[in-house]
């Protein structure tokens, strides 16, 4: 039945498991262990646990499993493994499948901690990593070799909202038998069509849109049952990066409104981007939903939306950017994204502070750049707030 459900139905019902009490809301099984009726049953479960049989919460838990089943169904993958954070998911997806001597190709424009895993951690264990400009397909073609085991990229980059063409990179990767691992946070599971576009493994920081209210840190790895249960699960369950049942329960609640929230945020983001475009105090407005975005066509084909973030460059550099941020009355100064509350971030001095100047320039992280994660407030109020703050910039 659920195979034919549409997104919103899945987000409310998919994966629900009810106990003998028939509870309406998803139950939170805040337990790390499980009791076996007999010693023989314990032995049997350690040999092969059945679908409704659990051993230890680091391996799996009924609440966590509900969340995994729901997100896998939404994403269109066979299975999923929930992790303690987005970084546990990125690390788990890569480290579980790689060994010394393997080769990985990755886009360069990465979330700082993702860059650390690829540049520092994997290379320390003898994995070779080649970085490319993710938007340049010729660089991907030149970098993959018959020894390439995986390609990794963020489908939309932070903070300059550049897209990687999933379908084309997947074709290049699959030609040499490499696995396509996509960090899809900025695209959101609502606008993702990554599986049909050729992604093999999709990773989310559930801290962002899936929690949606800035409460819990979490992550998830989506993929085939073979990859999730035979490659990822053994690695994750023995190295300790599993999701807490409490977090899974919050995510289950958050998912009921995920589609509504992401669409409302994306609608407001488009209105905001249109209102900001051409403003005399702005050097540029970057939003994939604007026709002026160089990859507007790709964004529409790949996600059918411009997403929920808008980035803009305030003429006047850091001083003007700081005056703008300090004048905001509704939008909060922070560094999370996908929250119900609108968040303004100054990447050059916070999330990307540690990057050397030449790399900031290469990635387009200018001193006046602001990343706005559009929340659920009324778009008119947000536009008025941004306009009054720009006046004072
Ligand atoms: C936030 C984020 C992560 C890391 O997720 P955490 O939940 O903070 O560990 C990874 N990739 C991207 C693109 C992110 O935005």
């Amino acid at each position: 039945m659920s195979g034919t459900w549409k997104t919103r139905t899945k987000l409310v019902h998919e994966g629900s498991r009810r106990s003998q009490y028939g509870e309406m809301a998803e139950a939170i099984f805040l337990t790390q262990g499980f009791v076996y009726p007999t010693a023989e049953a314990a032995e049997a479960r350690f040999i092969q646990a059945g679908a409704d049989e659990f051993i230890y919460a680091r391996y799996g838990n009924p609440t966590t499993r509900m969340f995994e089943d729901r997100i896998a169904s939404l994403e269109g993958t066979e299975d999923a493994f929930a992790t303690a954070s987005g970084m546990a998911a990125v690390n788990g997806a890569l480290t579980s499948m790689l060994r010394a001597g393997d080769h990985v190709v990755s886009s360069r424009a990465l979330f700082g901690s993702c860059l650390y895993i690829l540049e520092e951690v994997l290379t320390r264990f003898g994995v070779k990593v080649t970085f490319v400009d993710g938007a340049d397909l010729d660089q991907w073609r030149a970098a993959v070799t018959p020894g390439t085991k995986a390609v990794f990229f963020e489908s939309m980059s932070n903070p300059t909202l550049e897209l990687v063409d999933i379908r084309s990179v997947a074709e290049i990767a699959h030609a040499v038998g490499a696995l396509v691992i996509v960090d899809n946070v900025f695209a959101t599971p609502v606008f993702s069509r990554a599986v049909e576009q050729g992604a093999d493994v999709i990773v989310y920081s559930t801290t962002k849109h899936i929690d949606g209210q800035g409460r819990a840190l979490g992550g998830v790895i989506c993929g085939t049952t073979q990859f999730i249960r035979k490659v990822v699960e053994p690695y994750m369950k023995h190295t300790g990066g599993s999701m807490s049942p409490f977090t899974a329960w919050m995510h289950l609640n958050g998912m009921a409104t995920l589609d509504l929230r992401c669409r409302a945020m994306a609608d407001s983001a488009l209105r905001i981007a249109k209102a900001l475009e051409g403003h005399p105090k702005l050097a540029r407005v970057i939003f994939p939903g604007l026709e002026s975005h160089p990859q507007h066509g790709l964004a529409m084909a790949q996600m059918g939306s411009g997403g929920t973030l808008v980035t803009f460059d305030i003429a006047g550099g850091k001083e003007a950017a700081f005056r703008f941020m300090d004048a905001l009355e509704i939008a909060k100064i922070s560094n999370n994204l996908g929250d119900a509350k609108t968040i303004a971030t100054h990447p050059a001095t916070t999330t990307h502070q540690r990057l050397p100047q030449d790399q900031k320039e290469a990635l387009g992280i200018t001193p006046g750049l602001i990343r706005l994660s559009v929340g659920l407030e009324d778009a008119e109020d947000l536009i008025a707030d941004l306009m009054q703050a720009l006046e004072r910039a």
Side-chain angles (χ1 to χ4, degrees):
M1 194 53 220
S2 65
T4 62
W5 284 351
K6 298 201 173 24
T7 296
R8 285 188 190 171
T9 313
K10 286 181 180 175
L11 282 168
V12 175
H13 291 291
E14 189 70 88
S16 286
R17 291 161 177 253
R18 290 194 164 80
S19 76
Q20 72 273 32
Y21 300 113
E23 65 279 357
M24 172 60 86
E26 291 82 353
I28 170 169
F29 289 91
L30 205 51
T31 179
Q32 84 283 70
F34 300 85
V35 177
Y36 315 103
T38 60
E40 289 76 9
E43 182 187 33
R45 202 174 296 185
F46 271 76
I47 294 168
Q48 177 64 56
D52 279 317
E53 294 181 343
F54 296 89
I55 291 173
Y56 193 56
R58 180 150 46 70
Y59 296 17
N61 169 288
T63 311
T64 311
R65 189 58 52 80
M66 286 193 248
F67 169 68
E68 291 171 341
D69 288 348
R70 191 169 293 178
I71 183 82
S73 169
L74 176 65
E75 194 62 41
T77 54
E78 289 171 5
D79 215 332
F81 192 91
T83 60
S85 69
M87 288 324 303
V90 172
N91 184 59
L94 289 165
T95 312
S96 66
M97 66 158 292
L98 294 169
R99 60 187 63 234
D102 284 350
H103 179 234
V104 176
V105 182
S106 169
S107 63
R108 196 176 288 112
L110 294 180
F111 185 75
S113 303
C114 295
L115 189 64
Y116 180 83
I117 287 175
L118 284 143
E119 211 171 30
E120 306 283 336
V121 180
L122 292 179
T123 52
R124 205 190 294 157
F125 292 95
V127 174
K128 290 181 283 289
V129 183
T130 306
F131 289 100
V132 297
D133 172 349
D136 185 344
L137 293 176
D138 287 335
Q139 289 195 25
W140 287 104
R141 276 185 206 104
V144 298
T145 70
T148 305
K149 288 286 170 350
V151 303
F152 177 80
F153 57 89
E154 292 171 14
S155 54
M156 201 203 293
S157 76
N158 173 28
T160 51
L161 311 183
E162 196 176 77
L163 276 83
V164 173
D165 180 342
I166 298 175
R167 198 182 291 281
S168 300
V169 173
E171 267 171 31
I172 295 166
H174 289 157
V176 296
L179 207 68
V180 177
I181 305 177
V182 181
D183 179 334
N184 217 17
V185 169
F186 278 48
T188 82
V190 167
F191 300 124
S192 168
R193 301 164 188 171
V195 170
E196 62 188 75
Q197 287 153 356
D200 301 301
V201 178
I202 298 112
V203 177
Y204 288 103
S205 162
T206 60
T207 314
K208 313 293 165 55
H209 303 81
I210 294 175
D211 180 84
Q213 296 183 48
R215 304 162 298 190
L217 210 57
V220 69
I221 306 167
C222 303
T224 60
T225 304
Q226 158 67 24
F227 184 73
I228 295 299
R229 297 298 155 197
K230 298 284 184 268
V231 180
V232 170
E233 185 192 291
Y235 178 83
M236 293 307 300
K237 79 181 186 187
H238 295 306
T239 56
S242 309
M243 179 179 279
S244 140
F246 190 77
T247 300
W249 175 77
M250 277 197 281
H251 287 353
L252 283 163
N253 291 316
M255 282 179 89
T257 56
L258 183 66
D259 187 79
L260 299 171
R261 287 188 285 109
C262 288
R263 289 184 192 284
M265 289 172 173
D267 286 348
S268 294
L270 177 60
R271 283 178 64 184
I272 288 169
K274 282 183 175 162
L276 292 178
E277 196 171 40
H279 192 288
K281 294 224 170 150
L282 296 178
R284 59 187 172 135
V285 176
I286 308 170
F287 181 64
L290 288 178
E291 278 170 27
S292 61
H293 191 283
Q295 295 168 304
H296 176 67
L298 176 61
M300 290 304 122
Q302 191 157 292
M303 310 194 304
S305 167
T308 69
L309 289 110
V310 181
T311 297
F312 44 92
D313 198 355
I314 302 192
K318 179 183 163 185
E319 287 70 28
F322 275 25
R323 281 196 298 275
F324 165 80
M325 292 178 84
D326 293 345
L328 289 168
E329 286 168 4
I330 298 173
K332 301 292 172 239
I333 301 170
S334 190
N335 42 263
N336 191 20
L337 61 100
D339 196 303
K341 300 178 178 78
T342 294
I343 292 173
T345 309
H346 187 249
T349 56
T350 60
T351 53
H352 294 70
Q353 186 188 111
R354 294 220 208 124
L355 279 187
Q357 191 51 36
D358 58 322
Q359 280 192 44
K360 278 186 196 158
E361 273 162 32
L363 295 174
I365 302 169
T366 48
L369 204 73
I370 304 278
R371 185 191 79 190
L372 194 76
S373 167
V374 178
L376 291 175
E377 304 92 335
D378 190 286
E380 269 180 45
D381 288 341
L382 289 174
I383 290 168
D385 191 27
L386 296 167
M387 291 300 167
Q388 66 80 22
L390 276 175
E391 283 315 306
R392 290 154 72 183

